[in-house]
Coordinates of all heavy atoms in Angstrom, one line a residue:
M1 N 24.0 28.2 -1.8 CA 22.6 28.3 -2.2 C 21.7 28.6 -1.1 O 21.7 28.0 -0.1 CB 22.0 27.0 -2.9 CG 20.7 27.1 -3.4 SD 19.8 25.7 -3.8 CE 20.7 24.8 -4.9
Q2 N 20.9 29.6 -1.3 CA 20.0 30.1 -0.2 C 18.5 29.8 -0.6 O 18.1 30.1 -1.7 CB 20.1 31.6 0.0 CG 19.3 32.1 1.1 CD 20.1 32.2 2.4 OE1 21.3 32.3 2.3 NE2 19.4 31.9 3.5
F3 N 17.8 29.1 0.4 CA 16.4 29.0 0.1 C 15.6 30.2 0.3 O 15.9 31.0 1.2 CB 15.8 28.0 1.1 CG 16.3 26.5 0.9 CD1 17.3 26.0 1.8 CD2 16.0 25.8 -0.2 CE1 17.7 24.7 1.6 CE2 16.5 24.5 -0.4 CZ 17.3 24.0 0.5
R4 N 14.7 30.4 -0.6 CA 13.8 31.6 -0.6 C 13.0 31.5 0.8 O 12.2 30.4 0.9 CB 13.0 31.8 -1.7 CG 12.8 33.3 -2.1 CD 12.3 33.4 -3.5 NE 11.1 32.6 -3.8 CZ 10.1 32.9 -4.7 NH1 10.2 34.0 -5.2 NH2 9.2 32.2 -4.9
G5 N 13.0 32.4 1.6 CA 12.2 32.3 2.9 C 13.0 31.6 4.0 O 12.5 31.5 5.1
G6 N 14.2 31.0 3.6 CA 15.1 30.5 4.7 C 14.5 29.1 5.2 O 13.7 28.5 4.6
M7 N 15.2 28.8 6.3 CA 14.9 27.4 6.9 C 13.5 27.3 7.4 O 12.9 26.2 7.3 CB 15.9 27.3 8.0 CG 15.9 25.8 8.5 SD 16.2 24.7 7.1 CE 17.7 24.0 7.7
N8 N 12.9 28.4 7.9 CA 11.5 28.3 8.3 C 10.6 27.9 7.2 O 9.6 27.2 7.4 CB 11.1 29.6 9.0 CG 11.8 29.9 10.3 OD1 12.2 28.9 11.0 ND2 11.9 31.2 10.7
E9 N 10.8 28.5 6.1 CA 9.9 28.2 5.0 C 10.1 26.7 4.5 O 9.1 26.0 4.2 CB 10.1 29.0 3.7 CG 9.3 28.8 2.5 CD 7.8 28.9 2.9 OE1 7.4 29.6 3.8 OE2 7.0 28.3 2.1
L10 N 11.3 26.3 4.6 CA 11.6 24.9 4.2 C 10.9 23.9 5.2 O 10.2 22.9 4.7 CB 13.1 24.6 4.2 CG 13.6 23.3 3.8 CD1 13.2 22.9 2.4 CD2 15.1 23.1 3.9
V11 N 11.0 24.3 6.5 CA 10.3 23.4 7.5 C 8.8 23.4 7.2 O 8.1 22.4 7.4 CB 10.7 23.9 8.9 CG1 9.8 23.2 9.9 CG2 12.2 23.7 9.2
R12 N 8.2 24.5 6.9 CA 6.8 24.7 6.6 C 6.3 23.9 5.4 O 5.3 23.1 5.5 CB 6.3 26.1 6.5 CG 6.2 26.9 7.7 CD 5.4 28.2 7.5 NE 6.3 29.2 6.8 CZ 7.1 29.9 7.4 NH1 7.3 29.9 8.7 NH2 7.8 30.8 6.7
Q13 N 7.2 23.9 4.4 CA 6.9 23.0 3.2 C 7.0 21.6 3.5 O 6.1 20.8 3.1 CB 7.9 23.5 2.1 CG 7.6 24.8 1.5 CD 8.7 25.1 0.4 OE1 9.6 24.4 0.2 NE2 8.5 26.3 -0.2
A14 N 7.9 21.2 4.4 CA 8.1 19.7 4.7 C 6.8 19.3 5.5 O 6.4 18.2 5.3 CB 9.3 19.6 5.6
A15 N 6.3 20.2 6.4 CA 5.2 19.9 7.2 C 4.0 19.7 6.2 O 3.1 18.9 6.5 CB 4.9 20.9 8.2
R16 N 3.8 20.6 5.3 CA 2.7 20.5 4.3 C 2.8 19.1 3.6 O 1.7 18.5 3.4 CB 2.7 21.6 3.3 CG 2.1 22.9 3.9 CD 1.9 24.0 2.8 NE 3.0 24.5 2.1 CZ 3.8 25.5 2.5 NH1 3.4 26.1 3.6 NH2 4.8 25.8 1.9
V17 N 4.0 18.8 3.2 CA 4.1 17.6 2.3 C 3.7 16.4 3.3 O 3.1 15.4 2.9 CB 5.5 17.3 1.8 CG1 5.8 16.0 1.3 CG2 5.8 18.5 0.7
Q18 N 4.2 16.4 4.5 CA 3.9 15.3 5.5 C 2.4 15.2 5.7 O 1.9 14.1 5.7 CB 4.6 15.6 6.8 CG 4.4 14.4 7.8 CD 5.0 13.0 7.3 OE1 6.2 13.0 7.0 NE2 4.1 12.0 7.2
R19 N 1.7 16.4 5.8 CA 0.2 16.4 6.0 C -0.5 15.7 4.8 O -1.3 15.0 4.9 CB -0.3 17.8 6.2 CG -0.1 18.2 7.7 CD -1.0 19.5 7.9 NE -0.7 20.6 7.1 CZ 0.4 21.4 7.4 NH1 1.2 21.3 8.4 NH2 0.6 22.5 6.5
K20 N 0.1 16.1 3.6 CA -0.5 15.5 2.4 C -0.3 14.0 2.3 O -1.2 13.2 1.9 CB 0.0 16.1 1.1 CG -0.5 17.5 0.9 CD 0.2 18.2 -0.3 CE -0.3 19.5 -0.6 NZ 0.3 20.1 -1.8
I21 N 0.9 13.6 2.8 CA 1.2 12.1 2.8 C 0.2 11.4 3.7 O -0.4 10.3 3.4 CB 2.7 11.9 3.3 CG1 3.6 12.3 2.1 CG2 2.9 10.4 3.6 CD1 5.1 12.3 2.5
D22 N 0.0 12.0 4.9 CA -0.9 11.4 5.9 C -2.3 11.4 5.3 O -3.0 10.4 5.6 CB -0.8 12.2 7.2 CG 0.5 12.1 7.9 OD1 1.3 11.1 7.6 OD2 0.8 12.9 8.8
Q23 N -2.7 12.4 4.6 CA -4.0 12.4 4.1 C -4.2 11.3 3.0 O -5.2 10.7 2.9 CB -4.3 13.8 3.4 CG -5.6 13.9 2.7 CD -5.8 15.2 2.0 OE1 -4.9 16.1 2.0 NE2 -7.0 15.4 1.4
V24 N -3.2 11.1 2.1 CA -3.2 10.1 1.1 C -3.4 8.8 1.9 O -4.2 7.8 1.4 CB -2.0 10.1 0.2 CG1 -1.9 8.9 -0.6 CG2 -2.1 11.5 -0.7
K25 N -2.6 8.5 2.8 CA -2.7 7.2 3.6 C -4.0 7.0 4.1 O -4.5 5.9 4.2 CB -1.5 7.2 4.6 CG -0.1 6.9 4.1 CD 0.9 6.8 5.3 CE 2.1 6.3 4.8 NZ 3.1 6.2 5.9
G26 N -4.6 8.1 4.7 CA -5.9 7.9 5.3 C -7.0 7.6 4.3 O -7.8 6.8 4.5
E27 N -6.8 8.2 3.1 CA -7.8 7.9 2.0 C -7.7 6.6 1.4 O -8.6 5.9 1.0 CB -7.6 9.0 0.9 CG -8.0 10.3 1.3 CD -7.6 11.4 0.2 OE1 -6.9 11.1 -0.8 OE2 -7.9 12.6 0.5
L28 N -6.4 6.0 1.5 CA -6.2 4.7 1.0 C -6.4 3.5 1.9 O -6.5 2.4 1.5 CB -4.8 4.7 0.4 CG -4.5 5.4 -0.9 CD1 -3.0 5.4 -1.3 CD2 -5.4 4.9 -2.0
K29 N -6.4 3.8 3.2 CA -6.2 2.7 4.1 C -7.4 1.7 4.0 O -7.1 0.5 4.2 CB -6.2 3.2 5.6 CG -7.5 3.7 6.1 CD -7.3 4.1 7.6 CE -8.6 4.4 8.2 NZ -8.8 4.2 9.6
D30 N -8.6 2.1 3.6 CA -9.7 1.1 3.4 C -9.8 0.6 2.0 O -10.7 -0.1 1.7 CB -10.9 1.7 3.9 CG -11.0 2.0 5.4 OD1 -10.5 1.2 6.2 OD2 -11.6 3.0 5.8
R31 N -9.1 1.2 1.1 CA -9.1 0.6 -0.3 C -8.6 -0.8 -0.4 O -7.6 -1.2 0.4 CB -8.2 1.5 -1.1 CG -8.5 1.3 -2.6 CD -8.2 2.6 -3.3 NE -8.0 2.4 -4.8 CZ -7.4 3.2 -5.5 NH1 -6.9 4.4 -5.1 NH2 -7.3 2.9 -6.9
E32 N -9.2 -1.6 -1.1 CA -8.8 -3.0 -1.2 C -8.2 -3.3 -2.5 O -8.4 -2.9 -3.6 CB -10.1 -3.9 -1.1 CG -10.7 -3.7 0.3 CD -12.0 -4.6 0.4 OE1 -12.5 -5.0 -0.5 OE2 -12.3 -4.9 1.6
V33 N -7.2 -4.3 -2.4 CA -6.5 -4.9 -3.6 C -6.6 -6.4 -3.5 O -6.5 -6.9 -2.4 CB -5.0 -4.4 -3.5 CG1 -4.2 -5.0 -4.6 CG2 -4.9 -3.0 -3.5
S34 N -6.8 -7.0 -4.6 CA -6.8 -8.5 -4.6 C -5.8 -9.1 -5.5 O -5.3 -8.5 -6.4 CB -8.2 -9.0 -5.0 OG -8.5 -8.7 -6.3
A35 N -5.5 -10.4 -5.2 CA -4.6 -11.1 -6.0 C -5.1 -12.6 -6.0 O -5.7 -13.0 -5.0 CB -3.2 -11.1 -5.6
T36 N -4.7 -13.3 -7.1 CA -5.2 -14.8 -7.2 C -3.9 -15.7 -7.3 O -2.9 -15.2 -7.5 CB -6.1 -15.0 -8.4 OG1 -5.4 -14.6 -9.6 CG2 -7.3 -14.1 -8.2
A37 N -4.2 -16.9 -7.1 CA -3.1 -18.0 -7.3 C -3.8 -19.2 -7.7 O -4.9 -19.3 -7.7 CB -2.3 -18.1 -6.0
A38 N -3.0 -20.1 -8.1 CA -3.4 -21.5 -8.4 C -4.5 -21.5 -9.6 O -5.5 -22.0 -9.6 CB -3.9 -22.3 -7.3
G39 N -4.2 -20.6 -10.6 CA -5.1 -20.4 -11.7 C -6.4 -19.9 -11.3 O -7.6 -20.3 -11.7
D40 N -6.4 -18.9 -10.5 CA -7.6 -18.2 -9.9 C -8.5 -19.1 -9.0 O -9.6 -18.6 -8.8 CB -8.5 -17.7 -11.1 CG -7.8 -16.6 -11.9 OD1 -6.9 -16.0 -11.4 OD2 -8.2 -16.4 -13.0
K41 N -8.0 -20.1 -8.4 CA -8.7 -20.9 -7.6 C -8.6 -20.4 -6.2 O -9.4 -20.8 -5.3 CB -8.1 -22.4 -7.6 CG -8.2 -23.1 -8.9 CD -9.6 -23.2 -9.4 CE -9.6 -23.9 -10.8 NZ -10.9 -24.2 -11.3
V42 N -7.7 -19.5 -5.9 CA -7.6 -18.9 -4.6 C -7.4 -17.3 -4.8 O -6.7 -16.9 -5.6 CB -6.2 -19.4 -3.8 CG1 -6.0 -18.6 -2.5 CG2 -6.3 -20.9 -3.7
T43 N -8.3 -16.7 -4.0 CA -8.2 -15.2 -4.1 C -8.0 -14.7 -2.7 O -8.7 -15.1 -1.7 CB -9.6 -14.6 -4.6 OG1 -9.8 -15.2 -5.9 CG2 -9.6 -13.2 -4.7
V44 N -7.2 -13.6 -2.5 CA -6.9 -12.9 -1.3 C -7.2 -11.4 -1.5 O -6.6 -10.9 -2.5 CB -5.6 -13.2 -0.8 CG1 -5.3 -12.4 0.5 CG2 -5.3 -14.6 -0.5
V45 N -7.9 -10.8 -0.7 CA -8.3 -9.4 -0.6 C -7.6 -8.8 0.6 O -7.8 -9.2 1.7 CB -9.8 -9.2 -0.8 CG1 -10.0 -7.6 -0.8 CG2 -10.4 -9.8 -1.9
V46 N -6.8 -7.7 0.3 CA -6.2 -7.0 1.5 C -6.4 -5.6 1.3 O -6.8 -5.1 0.2 CB -4.6 -7.3 1.4 CG1 -4.3 -8.7 1.6 CG2 -3.9 -6.6 0.2
S47 N -6.4 -4.8 2.4 CA -6.5 -3.4 2.4 C -5.1 -2.8 2.1 O -4.1 -3.3 2.4 CB -7.1 -2.9 3.7 OG -6.0 -3.0 4.8
C48 N -5.1 -1.5 1.7 CA -3.8 -0.8 1.5 C -3.1 -0.5 2.8 O -2.0 -0.1 2.8 CB -4.1 0.5 0.8 SG -4.4 0.1 -1.0
E49 N -3.9 -0.8 4.0 CA -3.3 -0.6 5.3 C -2.5 -1.8 5.6 O -1.8 -2.0 6.7 CB -4.4 -0.4 6.3 CG -4.0 0.1 7.6 CD -5.2 0.4 8.5 OE1 -6.2 -0.3 8.4 OE2 -5.1 1.2 9.4
G50 N -2.6 -3.0 4.8 CA -1.8 -4.1 5.0 C -2.6 -5.2 5.8 O -2.0 -6.1 6.4
K51 N -3.9 -5.2 5.9 CA -4.7 -6.0 6.6 C -5.3 -7.0 5.6 O -6.0 -6.6 4.6 CB -5.7 -5.4 7.5 CG -5.1 -4.6 8.6 CD -6.2 -4.0 9.4 CE -5.6 -3.0 10.4 NZ -4.8 -3.5 11.6
V52 N -5.5 -8.3 6.0 CA -6.1 -9.3 5.0 C -7.6 -9.2 5.4 O -8.0 -9.2 6.5 CB -5.6 -10.7 5.3 CG1 -6.4 -11.7 4.6 CG2 -4.2 -10.9 5.1
R53 N -8.4 -9.0 4.3 CA -9.8 -8.8 4.4 C -10.6 -10.0 4.2 O -11.6 -10.4 4.7 CB -10.3 -7.7 3.5 CG -9.8 -6.3 3.9 CD -10.6 -5.7 5.0 NE -10.2 -4.4 5.4 CZ -10.4 -3.3 5.0 NH1 -11.2 -3.2 3.9 NH2 -10.0 -2.1 5.4
R54 N -10.2 -10.8 3.1 CA -10.9 -12.0 2.7 C -10.0 -12.9 2.0 O -9.2 -12.5 1.3 CB -12.2 -11.5 1.8 CG -13.0 -12.6 1.4 CD -14.3 -12.0 0.7 NE -14.0 -11.2 -0.6 CZ -14.0 -9.9 -0.7 NH1 -14.3 -9.1 0.3 NH2 -13.7 -9.3 -1.8
I55 N -10.3 -14.2 2.3 CA -9.6 -15.3 1.5 C -10.7 -16.2 0.9 O -11.6 -16.6 1.7 CB -8.7 -16.1 2.5 CG1 -7.5 -15.2 3.1 CG2 -8.1 -17.3 1.7 CD1 -6.7 -15.8 4.1
E56 N -10.6 -16.5 -0.4 CA -11.6 -17.3 -1.0 C -10.8 -18.5 -1.6 O -9.8 -18.2 -2.3 CB -12.3 -16.7 -2.0 CG -13.2 -15.5 -1.5 CD -13.9 -14.6 -2.5 OE1 -13.7 -14.9 -3.7 OE2 -14.5 -13.7 -2.2
V57 N -11.2 -19.7 -1.3 CA -10.6 -20.9 -1.9 C -11.7 -21.8 -2.6 O -12.7 -22.1 -1.9 CB -9.9 -21.8 -0.9 CG1 -9.3 -23.1 -1.4 CG2 -8.8 -21.0 -0.1
D58 N -11.5 -22.1 -3.8 CA -12.4 -22.9 -4.6 C -12.5 -24.3 -3.9 O -11.5 -25.0 -3.8 CB -12.0 -23.1 -6.1 CG -12.9 -23.9 -6.9 OD1 -13.6 -24.7 -6.3 OD2 -12.9 -23.6 -8.1
P59 N -13.7 -24.8 -3.4 CA -13.8 -26.0 -2.8 C -13.4 -27.1 -3.5 O -12.8 -28.1 -3.0 CB -15.3 -26.1 -2.5 CG -15.8 -24.7 -2.5 CD -15.0 -24.0 -3.5
A60 N -13.6 -27.1 -4.9 CA -13.2 -28.2 -5.8 C -11.6 -28.3 -5.8 O -11.1 -29.4 -5.9 CB -13.7 -28.1 -7.2
F61 N -11.0 -27.1 -5.8 CA -9.5 -27.1 -5.8 C -8.9 -27.7 -4.5 O -8.1 -28.4 -4.5 CB -9.0 -25.6 -5.9 CG -7.6 -25.5 -5.7 CD1 -6.7 -26.0 -6.7 CD2 -7.0 -24.9 -4.6 CE1 -5.2 -25.7 -6.6 CE2 -5.6 -24.6 -4.5 CZ -4.8 -25.1 -5.4
L62 N -9.6 -27.4 -3.4 CA -9.2 -27.8 -2.1 C -9.4 -29.3 -2.0 O -8.4 -30.0 -1.6 CB -9.9 -27.2 -1.0 CG -9.8 -27.6 0.5 CD1 -8.2 -27.3 0.9 CD2 -10.7 -26.9 1.5
A63 N -10.5 -29.8 -2.5 CA -10.8 -31.2 -2.5 C -9.8 -32.0 -3.3 O -9.2 -33.1 -3.0 CB -12.1 -31.5 -2.9
S64 N -9.4 -31.5 -4.6 CA -8.6 -32.2 -5.5 C -7.1 -32.1 -5.2 O -6.3 -33.1 -5.4 CB -8.8 -31.7 -6.9 OG -8.4 -30.4 -7.1
E65 N -6.7 -31.0 -4.6 CA -5.2 -30.7 -4.5 C -4.8 -30.9 -3.1 O -3.7 -31.0 -2.7 CB -4.8 -29.3 -5.0 CG -5.0 -29.1 -6.4 CD -4.3 -30.1 -7.3 OE1 -3.1 -30.4 -6.9 OE2 -4.6 -30.4 -8.3
G66 N -5.7 -30.8 -2.0 CA -5.4 -31.0 -0.7 C -5.0 -29.7 0.0 O -5.0 -28.6 -0.6
L67 N -5.1 -29.8 1.3 CA -5.0 -28.5 2.2 C -3.6 -27.9 2.0 O -3.4 -26.7 2.0 CB -5.1 -29.0 3.6 CG -5.0 -27.8 4.7 CD1 -6.1 -26.8 4.4 CD2 -5.2 -28.4 6.1
E68 N -2.5 -28.7 1.9 CA -1.1 -28.1 1.9 C -0.9 -27.3 0.5 O -0.5 -26.1 0.6 CB -0.1 -29.2 1.8 CG 1.3 -28.6 1.9 CD 2.4 -29.8 2.2 OE1 2.0 -30.7 2.6 OE2 3.5 -29.4 1.9
M69 N -1.5 -27.7 -0.5 CA -1.3 -27.0 -1.8 C -2.3 -25.7 -1.7 O -1.9 -24.6 -2.2 CB -1.9 -27.9 -2.9 CG -1.8 -27.1 -4.3 SD -0.2 -26.8 -4.9 CE 0.2 -28.4 -5.6
A70 N -3.4 -25.9 -1.2 CA -4.3 -24.7 -1.0 C -3.7 -23.6 -0.2 O -3.8 -22.5 -0.5 CB -5.7 -25.2 -0.4
L71 N -3.0 -24.1 1.0 CA -2.4 -23.1 1.9 C -1.2 -22.4 1.2 O -1.0 -21.3 1.4 CB -2.0 -23.8 3.2 CG -3.1 -24.2 4.1 CD1 -2.6 -25.0 5.3 CD2 -3.9 -23.0 4.5
D72 N -0.5 -23.2 0.4 CA 0.6 -22.6 -0.4 C 0.1 -21.6 -1.3 O 0.7 -20.5 -1.4 CB 1.4 -23.6 -1.2 CG 2.4 -24.6 -0.3 OD1 2.6 -24.1 0.9 OD2 2.7 -25.6 -0.8
A73 N -1.0 -21.8 -1.9 CA -1.7 -20.8 -2.8 C -2.2 -19.6 -2.1 O -2.0 -18.5 -2.6 CB -2.8 -21.5 -3.6
V74 N -2.7 -19.8 -0.9 CA -3.1 -18.7 -0.1 C -1.9 -17.8 0.3 O -2.1 -16.6 0.2 CB -3.8 -19.1 1.2 CG1 -4.0 -18.0 2.2 CG2 -5.2 -19.8 0.9
V75 N -0.8 -18.4 0.6 CA 0.4 -17.5 0.9 C 0.8 -16.8 -0.3 O 1.2 -15.6 -0.2 CB 1.5 -18.5 1.5 CG1 2.8 -17.7 1.5 CG2 1.1 -19.0 2.9
A76 N 0.9 -17.5 -1.4 CA 1.3 -16.8 -2.7 C 0.4 -15.7 -3.0 O 0.9 -14.6 -3.3 CB 1.4 -17.8 -3.8
A77 N -0.9 -15.9 -2.9 CA -1.9 -14.8 -3.2 C -1.8 -13.6 -2.3 O -1.9 -12.5 -2.6 CB -3.3 -15.4 -3.3
S78 N -1.6 -14.0 -0.9 CA -1.4 -13.0 0.0 C -0.3 -12.1 -0.2 O -0.3 -10.9 -0.1 CB -1.3 -13.6 1.4 OG -2.5 -14.3 1.8
N79 N 0.9 -12.7 -0.5 CA 2.1 -12.0 -0.7 C 1.9 -11.0 -2.0 O 2.3 -9.9 -1.9 CB 3.3 -12.9 -0.9 CG 3.8 -13.4 0.4 OD1 3.5 -12.9 1.6 ND2 4.4 -14.6 0.4
S80 N 1.3 -11.6 -3.0 CA 1.1 -10.8 -4.2 C 0.1 -9.6 -3.9 O 0.4 -8.5 -4.4 CB 0.5 -11.6 -5.4 OG 1.3 -12.6 -5.8
A81 N -1.0 -9.8 -3.2 CA -1.9 -8.8 -2.9 C -1.2 -7.7 -2.0 O -1.4 -6.5 -2.3 CB -3.1 -9.4 -2.2
L82 N -0.5 -8.1 -1.0 CA 0.1 -7.1 -0.2 C 1.2 -6.3 -0.9 O 1.2 -5.1 -0.7 CB 0.8 -7.8 1.1 CG -0.2 -8.5 2.1 CD1 0.5 -9.3 3.0 CD2 -1.0 -7.2 2.9
E83 N 1.9 -6.9 -1.8 CA 2.9 -6.1 -2.6 C 2.2 -5.2 -3.5 O 2.6 -4.0 -3.7 CB 3.7 -7.2 -3.5 CG 4.8 -6.6 -4.3 CD 5.6 -7.6 -5.1 OE1 5.9 -8.6 -4.5 OE2 5.9 -7.3 -6.2
A84 N 1.1 -5.6 -4.1 CA 0.3 -4.7 -5.0 C -0.2 -3.5 -4.2 O -0.2 -2.4 -4.6 CB -0.8 -5.5 -5.7
A85 N -0.7 -3.8 -2.9 CA -1.2 -2.7 -2.1 C 0.0 -1.7 -1.8 O -0.3 -0.5 -1.8 CB -1.8 -3.3 -0.8
D86 N 1.1 -2.3 -1.4 CA 2.2 -1.4 -1.2 C 2.5 -0.5 -2.3 O 2.9 0.7 -2.1 CB 3.6 -2.2 -0.7 CG 3.4 -2.7 0.7 OD1 2.4 -2.3 1.5 OD2 4.2 -3.7 1.0
K87 N 2.6 -1.1 -3.5 CA 3.0 -0.3 -4.7 C 1.9 0.8 -5.0 O 2.3 1.9 -5.4 CB 3.1 -1.4 -6.0 CG 4.3 -2.1 -5.9 CD 4.4 -3.1 -7.2 CE 5.7 -3.8 -7.2 NZ 5.8 -4.6 -8.3
L88 N 0.6 0.4 -4.7 CA -0.4 1.5 -4.9 C -0.2 2.7 -4.0 O -0.3 3.8 -4.4 CB -1.8 0.9 -4.7 CG -3.0 1.8 -4.8 CD1 -3.1 2.5 -6.1 CD2 -4.2 1.1 -4.4
V89 N 0.0 2.4 -2.7 CA 0.3 3.4 -1.7 C 1.6 4.2 -2.1 O 1.6 5.4 -2.1 CB 0.5 2.8 -0.3 CG1 1.0 3.9 0.6 CG2 -0.9 2.3 0.1
E90 N 2.7 3.5 -2.5 CA 3.9 4.2 -2.9 C 3.7 5.1 -4.2 O 4.1 6.2 -4.2 CB 5.0 3.2 -3.3 CG 6.3 3.8 -3.5 CD 7.4 2.7 -3.9 OE1 7.4 1.6 -3.2 OE2 8.1 2.9 -4.8
T91 N 2.9 4.6 -5.1 CA 2.5 5.4 -6.3 C 1.8 6.7 -6.0 O 2.1 7.8 -6.4 CB 1.7 4.6 -7.3 OG1 2.5 3.5 -7.7 CG2 1.3 5.4 -8.4
E92 N 0.9 6.6 -5.0 CA 0.0 7.8 -4.7 C 0.9 8.6 -3.8 O 0.8 9.9 -4.0 CB -1.2 7.3 -3.8 CG -2.2 6.6 -4.7 CD -2.7 7.3 -5.9 OE1 -3.1 8.5 -5.7 OE2 -2.8 6.8 -7.0
I93 N 1.7 8.3 -3.0 CA 2.7 9.2 -2.2 C 3.7 9.7 -3.1 O 3.9 11.0 -2.9 CB 3.4 8.4 -1.1 CG1 2.3 8.0 0.0 CG2 4.5 9.2 -0.5 CD1 2.8 7.1 1.0
T94 N 4.1 9.1 -4.1 CA 5.0 9.7 -5.1 C 4.4 10.8 -5.8 O 5.0 11.8 -6.1 CB 5.5 8.6 -6.1 OG1 6.2 7.6 -5.4 CG2 6.4 9.2 -7.2
K95 N 3.1 10.7 -6.1 CA 2.4 12.0 -6.7 C 2.5 13.1 -5.8 O 2.6 14.2 -6.3 CB 1.0 11.6 -7.0 CG 0.8 10.5 -8.0 CD -0.7 10.2 -8.1 CE -0.9 9.2 -9.2 NZ -2.3 8.7 -9.3
V96 N 2.5 13.0 -4.5 CA 2.5 14.1 -3.6 C 3.9 14.6 -3.4 O 4.2 15.9 -3.4 CB 2.0 13.6 -2.1 CG1 2.3 14.7 -1.1 CG2 0.6 13.2 -2.1
T97 N 4.9 13.7 -3.4 CA 6.3 14.2 -3.2 C 7.1 14.4 -4.5 O 8.1 14.9 -4.5 CB 7.1 13.1 -2.4 OG1 7.2 11.9 -3.2 CG2 6.4 12.8 -1.0
G98 N 6.5 14.1 -5.6 CA 7.0 14.3 -6.9 C 8.3 13.3 -7.0 O 9.1 13.5 -7.9
G99 N 8.2 12.2 -6.3 CA 9.3 11.2 -6.5 C 10.4 11.4 -5.7 O 11.4 10.6 -5.6
V100 N 10.5 12.5 -4.9 CA 11.7 12.9 -4.1 C 11.6 12.2 -2.8 O 10.6 12.2 -2.1 CB 11.8 14.4 -3.9 CG1 12.9 14.8 -3.0 CG2 11.8 15.1 -5.2
K101 N 12.6 11.5 -2.5 CA 12.7 10.8 -1.2 C 13.2 11.8 -0.1 O 14.3 12.2 -0.2 CB 13.7 9.6 -1.2 CG 13.2 8.5 -2.1 CD 12.1 7.7 -1.5 CE 11.8 6.6 -2.5 NZ 10.5 6.0 -2.3
L102 N 12.3 12.1 0.8 CA 12.7 13.2 1.7 C 13.1 12.6 3.1 O 12.2 11.7 3.7 CB 11.5 14.2 1.9 CG 11.0 14.9 0.7 CD1 9.7 15.6 1.0 CD2 12.1 15.8 0.2
P103 N 14.2 12.8 3.6 CA 14.7 12.2 4.9 C 13.8 12.7 6.0 O 13.4 13.8 6.0 CB 16.0 12.8 5.1 CG 16.5 13.6 4.0 CD 15.2 13.7 3.1
G104 N 13.3 11.8 6.8 CA 12.5 12.1 8.0 C 11.1 12.1 7.8 O 10.3 12.2 8.6
M105 N 10.7 11.9 6.4 CA 9.2 11.9 6.1 C 8.7 10.5 6.4 O 9.4 9.5 6.1 CB 9.0 12.2 4.6 CG 9.1 13.6 4.3 SD 7.8 14.6 5.0 CE 8.4 16.2 4.8
H106 N 7.6 10.4 7.0 CA 6.9 9.2 7.3 C 6.1 8.6 6.2 O 4.9 9.0 6.1 CB 6.1 9.2 8.6 CG 7.0 9.7 9.7 ND1 7.9 8.9 10.3 CD2 7.0 10.9 10.3 CE1 8.5 9.6 11.3 NE2 8.0 10.8 11.3
T107 N 6.7 7.9 5.2 CA 5.9 7.4 4.1 C 5.6 6.0 4.2 O 5.9 5.4 5.2 CB 6.8 7.6 2.8 OG1 7.9 6.9 3.0 CG2 7.0 9.1 2.4

């Protein structure tokens, strides 16, 4: 099977896809995703770049359940928010690549 335009065209197309992936990542890096835990008593907000932006803990929950339970809820909410952010980025990149996993692409 011969690619139309040969290997040079294939390399150019791969470079275009990589630029689009980088553009999508740039557009999403400041977008925020949140998750809650402990019946919405703990909320964590993260960026799609993987940075924690904000943690909110209901003071009544902290007083009634204690620090250890509150911290466990923060960890759970953080993990959920980071996972949701990763899925959002993956979904947007899949739109660019058409779902094809391309070797050597920095996704």
Side-chain angles (χ1 to χ4, degrees):
M1 179 197 306
Q2 183 90 35
F3 291 109
R4 217 164 49 147
M7 189 57 112
N8 288 335
E9 180 59 25
L10 185 61
V11 170
R12 278 193 292 277
Q13 287 177 357
R16 279 194 297 270
V17 170
Q18 184 64 56
R19 281 193 301 276
K20 286 181 182 179
I21 289 170
D22 292 342
Q23 178 183 2
V24 166
K25 284 181 169 184
E27 292 169 356
L28 289 175
K29 76 175 188 152
D30 291 326
R31 194 153 161 198
E32 294 181 340
V33 176
S34 65
T36 62
D40 296 338
K41 303 293 184 187
V42 174
T43 302
V44 174
V45 178
V46 300
S47 71
C48 285
E49 191 176 34
K51 297 186 187 283
V52 175
R53 294 277 176 90
R54 188 171 57 255
I55 298 172
E56 299 170 2
V57 179
D58 183 331
F61 173 72
L62 179 60
S64 67
E65 298 299 327
L67 182 60
E68 188 173 340
M69 179 69 82
L71 291 175
D72 286 345
V74 167
V75 169
S78 297
N79 288 335
S80 293
L82 289 167
E83 184 177 317
D86 285 345
K87 284 183 181 178
L88 176 62
V89 171
E90 184 178 323
T91 298
E92 293 301 314
I93 288 175
T94 299
K95 290 178 184 176
V96 171
T97 64
V100 176
K101 299 286 184 189
L102 301 171
M105 286 289 168
H106 302 288
T107 59

